[in-house]
Amino acid sequence: MPLEPFKSSTPLTLGVELEMQLVSLSNLDLIDASPDMLDLLARRKFPGNVVPEITESMIEVSTDIHTDHDGLLAQLRQIRDALVAAGDRLNVGVCGGGTHPFQQWSERKIFSKPRFKEVSVLYGYLAKQFTIFGQHIHVGCASGDDALYLLHSLSRYIPHFIALAASSPFVQGKDTLFHSARLNSVFAFPLSGRAPFTLSWTEFESGYFARMERTGIVKSMKDFYWDIRPKPEFGTIELRVCDTPLTVERAAALAAYLQALCCLLLERSEPQPTEDDYLVYNYNRFQACRFGLAGTIVHPGSCEAVSLRDDILHTLGRLAKRTAPCNAAALTHLEQVAKVGSHATYLREQYRDRGSSEGMVDASIACFRGLGEG
């Protein structure tokens, strides 16, 4: 069917989705508990929305629409408390982290939902390997043209979000040497990566999407696994590169950072995005995934190689001079992350100190409860 028109929404409003791990408290492995968790949450008032994800050891929660960091964080804390309480009744731990450090993908069960079964048939084992956990951030846009402008203008900042949110250093019991190994699983999908370059919604809708639909490859925007994609039915852009943080405080801070960047970019005082901005895109994204904050990125305009950590701190400094007081705490939080390390660093420290992968999961559960790393 044709792509639906872009629904105008209030610019710079925020919404967050978090894919959460469901963990057995007996062995700290993933557990196929989402049917029970969803049933329990459906029988009580939930401060947001909760839906199944592709395998039964994960769920996705989402917030309402918010205008600032403080309101978003308050609801994320309510969501966290509701999930923890439900998990306690089921003897299930709930935690963040972009990957579970030792689960075996072959043991996962596809959730009984038509779309998930279609994905499983199409992508084979990749569907179960998609038991990975990300944070998606939505930002409201007044028009489809604004959405595409922001989408492409943000391309140079994608490494910032990968590095600041990184929380997936281990996969199937092994240290991958990546800070965000989760994104390697996303990149395996053929419709992942970056969106095609156009700044016109009309051109995107009647040109690119219409041609793709005629091929039979795609039916809706859900079929694209891009790092950032437009969501016309919501009137937003959706940033998809972040690992699920260990804490809701980190999740809210990342959303506020994206909002502040979009506010700056919509002033159109920065250079106009071009196709050439993507010449360094894959390299910069790899650096952020592999080395985290210690990575090196190349500025697409000047071709200058800079430290990712320094680039983040410089950008946060620029934004701090202009951000609203309700978002100031978020930028201060991320400044500290840039200086001391991400949740990937924290998890490696837990592995070293506790001596096991199970120790990392235990620490992650405590963090989500608000008892650990901020």
Side-chain angles (χ1 to χ4, degrees):
M1 66 176 62
L3 186 62
E4 58 188 284
F6 192 92
K7 178 183 176 182
S8 178
S9 64
T10 304
L12 303 176
T13 47
L14 286 174
V16 164
E17 299 161 353
L18 297 174
E19 295 164 342
M20 305 303 304
Q21 302 187 33
L22 302 179
V23 177
S24 166
L25 293 179
S26 60
N27 63 8
L28 297 173
D29 198 356
L30 291 181
I31 186 171
D32 300 325
S34 68
D36 291 338
M37 178 73 83
L38 291 165
D39 180 67
L40 180 58
L41 293 171
R43 288 188 272 117
R44 57 186 62 197
K45 185 174 176 58
F46 187 78
N49 191 40
V50 56
V51 295
E53 255 300 340
I54 191 163
T55 64
E56 292 188 355
S57 50
M58 57 195 304
I59 55 173
E60 180 182 85
V61 297
S62 56
T63 68
D64 297 323
I65 299 170
H66 294 274
T67 59
D68 58 45
H69 166 264
D70 290 355
L72 176 66
L73 176 57
Q75 187 177 41
L76 282 171
R77 285 173 169 161
Q78 291 176 334
I79 289 172
R80 174 199 62 195
D81 293 346
L83 291 178
V84 167
D88 285 347
R89 288 198 60 182
L90 297 171
N91 199 35
V92 170
V94 182
C95 65
T99 56
H100 183 280
F102 62 87
Q103 68 97 12
Q104 300 294 313
W105 63 264
S106 59
E107 297 175 1
R108 305 282 64 86
K109 291 175 60 177
I110 300 294
F111 190 93
S112 183
K113 182 178 176 181
R115 173 167 171 77
F116 295 151
K117 291 185 176 181
E118 290 173 12
V119 170
S120 179
V121 169
L122 176 61
Y123 290 115
Y125 82 106
L126 291 178
K128 289 186 177 182
Q129 283 203 337
F130 215 48
T131 306
I132 52 176
F133 309 86
Q135 173 181 356
H136 303 162
I137 308 169
H138 289 262
V139 176
C141 301
S143 68
D145 288 355
D146 278 356
L148 292 173
Y149 178 84
L150 284 175
L151 185 155
H152 294 296
S153 296
L154 286 165
S155 64
R156 100 157 198 83
Y157 298 101
I158 287 296
H160 289 203
F161 289 92
I162 294 173
L164 289 168
S167 61
S168 53
F170 279 69
V171 173
Q172 298 200 104
K174 303 295 182 183
D175 190 332
T176 64
L177 302 183
F178 277 69
H179 284 246
S180 177
R182 163 186 163 268
L183 283 172
N184 292 327
S185 295
V186 180
F187 299 157
F189 285 77
L191 298 177
S192 63
R194 47 154 290 200
F197 187 81
T198 174
L199 299 177
S200 162
W201 184 256
T202 299
E203 182 181 339
F204 176 84
E205 179 182 24
S206 60
Y208 176 81
F209 185 86
R211 291 195 301 271
M212 287 296 289
E213 187 187 33
R214 283 197 297 272
T215 68
I217 297 173
V218 300
K219 297 178 182 177
S220 73
M221 288 303 303
K222 286 185 177 181
D223 296 316
F224 296 108
Y225 295 88
W226 295 333
D227 296 343
I228 318 179
R229 68 184 180 189
K231 293 288 284 184
E233 66 272 31
F234 296 155
T236 66
I237 55 168
E238 178 189 17
L239 179 73
R240 301 168 52 82
V241 297
C242 296
D243 290 352
T244 298
L246 301 185
T247 67
V248 295
E249 288 76 18
R250 182 72 44 88
L254 289 163
Y257 184 36
L258 181 61
Q259 183 188 50
L261 278 172
C262 288
C263 183
L264 171 66
L265 293 169
L266 283 175
E267 294 176 0
R268 287 173 164 74
S269 57
E270 301 286 295
Q272 181 87 351
T274 69
E275 178 70 47
D276 282 352
D277 292 346
Y278 289 99
L279 293 174
V280 296
Y281 184 79
N282 287 340
Y283 173 83
N284 288 347
R285 186 174 60 174
F286 169 79
Q287 284 281 316
C289 290
R290 172 66 177 86
F291 301 107
L293 295 160
T296 298
I297 60 171
V298 177
H299 192 286
S302 66
C303 298
E304 176 189 8
V306 296
S307 156
L308 181 50
R309 175 179 281 107
D310 289 346
D311 199 50
I312 291 171
L313 289 171
H314 173 73
T315 305
L316 288 170
R318 289 178 64 199
L319 296 175
K321 298 174 183 177
R322 50 187 294 121
T323 194
C326 56
N327 282 0
L331 301 188
T332 300
H333 177 104
L334 294 180
E335 180 182 12
Q336 189 66 12
V337 174
K339 290 177 179 178
V340 305
S342 68
H343 282 153
T345 299
Y346 172 77
L347 288 170
R348 284 193 169 102
E349 291 171 351
Q350 294 301 304
Y351 180 79
R352 180 197 64 209
D353 295 345
R354 300 182 183 221
S356 70
S357 298
E358 288 82 0
M360 284 189 287
V361 180
D362 188 53
S364 296
I365 293 171
C367 282
F368 188 67
R369 286 178 172 269
L371 303 175
E373 175 86 351

